[in-house]
Each structure stands twice: as structure tokens, then as C-alpha cells.
Amino acid sequence: MPSLEQLRFDNSYAHLPAGFSVRVPPQPLEDARLVSVSPEALRLLEIDASEVQRPEFVEAFGGVRPLPGMEPVAAVYAGHQFGVYVPRLGDGRALLLGELQTSTGERWELNLKGSGLTPFSRRGDGRAVLRSTIREYLCSEAMHGLGIPTTRALCIIAGSEKVYREEVETGAMLIRLAPSHVRFGTFEYFHHTKQREHVATLADYVLARHFPHLEGTKDRHARFFAEVVERTAQLVAQWQAVGFAHGVLNTDNMSILGLTLDYGPFGFLDDFEPGFICNHSDDFGRYAFNKQPRIAVWNLARLAEALATLIPQEEAEAALQAFAPSFSTHFLARMREKLGLREARAGDLELLETLLARMTEARVDYTRFFRRLGRFDSSTEARNEPLRDLFLDTAAFDAWAAAYRTRLLSEGSEDAERCTRMERANPKYVLRNYLAQTAITRAQEGDFSEVERLRAVLSHPFDEQPEHEALAAPPPAWGKHLAVSCSS
Ligand code: AMP
Ligand code: MG
């Protein structure tokens, strides 16, 4: 494994034409210290674990002394925020430090979040607080553990600086990783400022690096857009299946690679509640859990507009039309796995919808229900008490259970084999808000052990981890409706 100084960095994004980004030196935090590192991310970047101990590590990733080849820049973008077009956003508190090339030829962009003021900071202070940094760090690694496309996180660096939000908080920085941080909003910026040639420049840059199989093909831009639609449909299907609400699905938070991007006031469902609004500032529920698929199409339509100079309208429309069937196919496939169904049958959607309706009425914990469903006993005399007990209306549950049993038997399902499969589809551990909050409170007192524990447990969310059983518990009363908002 190479040492820090041997890491191969460059920054191709910084070398795009002027107007794509601005060179900005990071502003380090006072008393910067490394408080958590993801060993998985270290491996991904091929950084030797012993390097973490060196002061150069926190200096390099905390913005004090960038490594050779890094060229920190703030990228410009725009976006539709809550449905309203904002012509200029951009990295207001983050910098793209550079791209790291690994021995296998993978390229990872390193993005330093909380790095100080940039020309895009608008009214903000350019900082991130420890609370939001921990939430993003834990959730991105948890999503990866769940098999959901996401940006990753390398480490958290905390400082002594006070940062003013609704209250005084501690400033911190996060190193985020992704093959690309280009957003729908990056294309929107160049389109709406009528820099048509730059829309093409950006498209060709993204295609060359991330869609190389499309290069040189006729109608490559239309095919690119169709792939973005497909990746986004798959991504949102996975969110819906696991019970994840992003919270701020503005077009500037939509990744061109179909990754979960920009963790803010996200939330995992505790009780199954289709209209769950995790973002305290989302007064009208625009980004409620069950609206995510519709919002994704709306956002894709904004991307299509931004690509209008490259793609004939009929082709863009045809690609957009493909979202709904693709989403349904992926969602139903994921839900069949959660139900332990191997075969696809006509009545499956109805079986699922009835279950979700019963769960909504009874406010059943989403994650716990599906985990327990893996132990469903399909023999006729079984009452399946552990599941039944979750419902007030036990007769309604019994009726559903009878239909489910019939459906299982119709494909010759065998309990033990199905259980093994279902435990790979239904996580035991998800980053519930109250878990994150407990880790944050401790961290704010200087104890990062709970952050570390959650990171480790959530990186294997499908495994039984008996010593961490408590982390699979539903929220206590105080943790049920925690307010999380955008400004963090
Ligand atoms: P977000 O809601 O975090 O996706 O951010 C929306 C826009 O606001 C982006 O352009 C961010 O860079 C910017 N922004 C968010 N927080 C801050 C901050 N504390 N300082 C400067 N800019 C910020
Ligand atoms: Mg954002």
C-alpha cells in the first residue's frame, strides 16, 4: 500500500474551461483533529491504515497541506430548489480536492465538505457542523452496506471553531468520495446561462469518464440521458424498498451517476408511514417518502430541458417515459426479495399493497417487520405470533398471512431456505434518526466510540450482531419525531 506522498492525484475537472470551477484554497479548521476514519474507504483508496496516525494525514485531508497533484476547486452549478429555479448555486462549502487514481485504474474524486467560503457561498459561512458531518459519514457508509449506490465517506475532521446554526455548534469537515460529483444542476447551469458549448463540453467529459461504452456512438447523448433515467429509477426503487427518504431532492442534489448524493435531513422510516416527511423545513411535503419516484421524474425532466441542445425532444420524452415502468419493475423485484418470493406472479403487487396498507394502519415498524417476516412459518397451524403481535387488527393480519402462505406454497417455498434468502434482503440495522442522534450527542461531548460502533455495525446491516442487538430496536419515545432541517 502506498504512503500518502505516493498517492496519485490529479484534477481533470479543474482543467475544464474557465467557468466550470474556481480555484479556492481550503480554509483549515483550528485545532483540526481526525475523529473517525472508515477502514473500508481507506482500502478503496489503497491508503495504508498506518498512514492515518501521521499528522500529514489530517493536514492533507483537512486542507492544511494538499497532497501533490491536488488542485482544490469549487465547482459551479445551479438547480431547482423546491421547484424553483435558482440560477447559481455551486460548491458553497465544499471543494473538489482532486482525483485519486488507484492501482486498478479506478478514479475517485475527493471532496472536502466544510472547507470554508467560496465564491458560491451566498449567505452561508462555508462551514459544516459536526452533527451533519456525522450524519453524512454514517449514512453514506450505511447505504453502501445496504448495496445502494451512494457517495462514500473517508473521514471526519473536527475542529474547535464555533459555527452558528439554530444554536452554536462545533465545526467539522468530511472527506466525501465519488467517481463524479456532477449533478443535474451542473448541466442546468450551463444551459440556462446559454453556454451551449459548455453543455456539450460537460456531457463529453462525463461520457468519456463514466459512460465510455457510449463514446463514438451516434445519438450518444440520448443514450446517456436514457441511462441516467434508468440509474435514477433503480436508485429510487432501492430507496423505496429500504424505507429511505432523502429529504431534499432538489435537482442540485441529484447525481448524474445515480448515486445517493448530499445527505442532509434524510431519514429511514421507523413506523411505516407512506407520507413521512423527514425534512423539518419541507412544509408542504414536496419531498415526502412516497413522492420520491414522482419527484425523480420531475427532476429528470429538468435535466432533459438542460440537454435540449443535444437531444431531440422526442428522444428525451421517450427516455422519460421509460422511468415509470423501470421504477415499477425494480421496485417490485426488490419487494419480492423482501417477501421471499422467487417467482413473479400476477397477484404479487396486490399482496404487497395489502400488506403495506395493513402496516400503515397499524403503524408497524418497517425494518423490524420485514426482518421478522423472514422467520414466517408457512405451516397451516402456525399463528406467527412475533409478526401478528405487531398488528392491532390481528384478523386483518391473519387474512394477509393466509394469502401470503398460499402464495409461498404455490412456488414450493421452503421455510429455512427462504429465511436465508430473506435475511440478505431485509436489513437488521438501518441508521434510524435516534441512533444517529445518540452518536452525535456523545461525539459532541468528545466521545466518538458510538460513531465508530454504528459505522462498523451498519457496514454489515444484514448480519445478526448479537452484541449490538440494541441498535436494531425501534426508537424510544424521544427519538420518534426528531426535527432535522436543511441548514447544517
Ligand atoms: P444543500 O441544501 O446542502 O444541498 O445546499 C444548497 C446550496 O447551498 C449549495 O450551493 C451549497 O453549497 C450551499 N450551502 C449550504 N450550506 C452552506 C454553508 N454553510 N455555507 C455556504 N454555502 C452553503
Ligand atoms: Mg446540495
Side-chain angles (χ1 to χ4, degrees):
M1 291 269 200
S3 67
L4 286 177
E5 291 72 15
Q6 289 166 328
L7 295 175
R8 290 199 294 160
F9 276 103
D10 57 16
N11 193 343
S12 59
Y13 203 83
H15 293 240
L16 285 169
F20 276 73
S21 65
V22 181
R23 271 163 215 251
V24 183
Q27 291 145 258
L29 289 170
E30 236 160 80
D31 306 320
R33 61 191 198 287
L34 188 66
V35 293
S36 194
V37 187
S38 157
E40 281 195 39
L42 279 176
R43 275 197 295 278
L44 204 65
L45 300 180
E46 301 176 340
I47 301 175
D48 195 279
S50 65
E51 294 293 290
V52 168
Q53 313 303 331
R54 295 174 55 200
E56 286 84 357
F57 187 93
V58 69
E59 286 174 3
F61 297 115
V64 177
R65 223 179 315 282
L67 293 168
M70 283 182 176
E71 285 178 67
V73 292
V76 69
Y77 51 83
H80 281 82
Q81 297 191 313
F82 289 87
V84 178
Y85 186 64
V86 183
R88 206 174 88 141
L89 293 163
D91 292 330
R93 54 158 165 178
L95 293 173
L96 171 55
L97 294 181
E99 286 162 77
L100 193 159
Q101 215 186 121
T102 69
S103 66
T104 56
E106 275 180 23
R107 298 177 77 92
W108 287 94
E109 284 187 0
L110 271 74
N111 189 278
L112 178 62
K113 214 166 161 179
S115 51
L117 291 172
T118 79
F120 312 110
S121 299
R122 299 185 298 161
R123 290 180 305 278
D125 56 8
R127 290 303 189 198
V129 298
L130 185 59
R131 171 174 53 91
S132 64
T133 303
I134 291 174
R135 285 173 53 85
E136 173 150 6
Y137 176 74
L138 289 178
C139 200
S140 44
E141 291 306 281
M143 291 293 259
H144 177 72
L146 290 164
I148 301 177
T150 178
T151 58
R152 303 288 303 272
L154 173 66
C155 62
I156 302 179
I157 292 167
S160 58
E161 200 167 307
K162 295 283 163 255
V163 175
Y164 297 87
R165 294 293 180 261
E166 276 111 41
E167 48 192 42
V168 182
E169 298 194 43
T170 311
M173 291 180 174
L174 176 82
I175 290 278
R176 174 169 69 180
L177 314 171
S180 170
H181 288 79
V182 170
R183 300 139 194 277
F184 291 9
T186 321
F187 285 96
E188 289 178 281
Y189 174 79
F190 292 110
H191 176 74
H192 292 286
T193 51
K194 309 216 176 332
Q195 303 183 71
R196 302 290 154 80
E197 72 289 2
H198 283 348
V199 176
T201 307
L202 181 61
D204 289 337
Y205 173 84
V206 169
L207 260 81
R209 276 166 188 73
H210 308 290
F211 299 81
H213 52 288
L214 299 181
E215 277 213 292
T217 58
K218 190 169 70 60
D219 64 9
R220 65 187 191 283
H221 293 123
R223 290 171 64 175
F224 158 61
F225 180 62
E227 283 199 28
V228 179
V229 172
E230 169 62 18
R231 288 189 192 202
T232 307
Q234 270 198 50
L235 174 70
V236 180
Q238 286 181 274
W239 289 350
Q240 300 311 111
V242 82
F244 173 81
H246 178 287
V248 205
L249 281 180
N250 293 334
T251 55
D252 49 301
N253 293 338
M254 296 288 293
S255 151
I256 204 75
L257 301 183
L259 309 172
T260 313
L261 173 69
D262 276 11
Y263 291 90
F266 65 83
F268 283 87
L269 295 177
D270 293 309
D271 293 347
F272 185 67
E273 187 189 336
F276 172 58
I277 303 166
C278 57
N279 181 352
H280 194 58
S281 332
D282 184 6
D283 296 332
F284 301 101
R286 179 180 173 87
Y287 299 138
F289 172 70
N290 57 0
K291 293 209 185 126
Q292 296 187 122
R294 264 178 284 166
I295 285 294
V297 193
W298 192 89
N299 289 342
L300 284 160
R302 304 291 78 75
L303 175 61
E305 281 164 13
L307 296 172
T309 50
L310 301 177
I311 307 175
Q313 201 186 337
E314 322 77 72
E315 290 183 39
E317 270 164 23
L320 277 176
Q321 296 294 329
F323 181 92
S326 168
F327 169 79
S328 298
T329 305
H330 290 300
F331 178 65
L332 205 51
R334 294 285 82 73
M335 295 312 288
R336 276 200 185 94
E337 286 167 5
K338 290 179 77 69
L339 290 165
L341 304 177
R342 265 191 328 254
E343 297 169 11
R345 297 276 171 81
D348 293 349
L349 185 59
E350 199 193 323
L351 186 74
L352 172 65
E353 284 177 345
T354 307
L355 171 64
L356 295 178
R358 296 291 97 83
M359 288 175 73
T360 311
E361 286 154 19
R363 299 191 149 265
V364 172
D365 188 276
Y366 187 73
T367 305
R368 287 168 69 83
F369 173 83
F370 277 102
R371 188 70 181 184
R372 283 192 195 177
L373 190 65
R375 301 278 163 97
F376 186 83
D377 179 342
S378 65
S379 56
T380 13
E381 64 282 9
R383 281 159 55 87
N384 284 294
E385 240 95 37
L387 287 164
R388 196 169 190 262
D389 289 349
L390 296 171
F391 293 81
L392 283 177
D393 183 353
T394 46
F397 171 75
D398 289 342
W400 182 82
Y404 180 53
R405 176 185 301 116
T406 308
R407 173 67 184 82
L408 291 176
L409 297 180
S410 79
E411 64 175 41
S413 195
E414 195 263 302
D415 286 359
E417 182 276 332
R418 186 181 65 252
C419 178
T420 314
R421 251 188 304 121
M422 286 173 77
E423 291 197 345
R424 304 322 293 168
N426 294 315
K428 169 116 183 180
Y429 303 98
V430 294
L431 183 61
R432 296 172 189 267
N433 251 343
Y434 87 91
L435 295 173
Q437 194 50 49
T438 305
I440 290 165
T441 307
R442 296 233 189 120
Q444 285 167 336
E445 292 159 359
D447 172 8
F448 284 82
S449 60
E450 193 64 12
V451 171
E452 200 45 39
R453 175 160 92 118
L454 276 179
R455 190 202 51 67
V457 170
L458 293 169
S459 63
H460 304 283
F462 299 102
D463 295 353
E464 290 290 332
Q465 301 175 57
E467 66 282 31
H468 301 297
E469 188 69 27
L471 300 179
W478 68 264
K480 270 190 184 251
H481 298 284
L482 293 169
V484 216
S485 64
C486 278
S487 61
S488 55

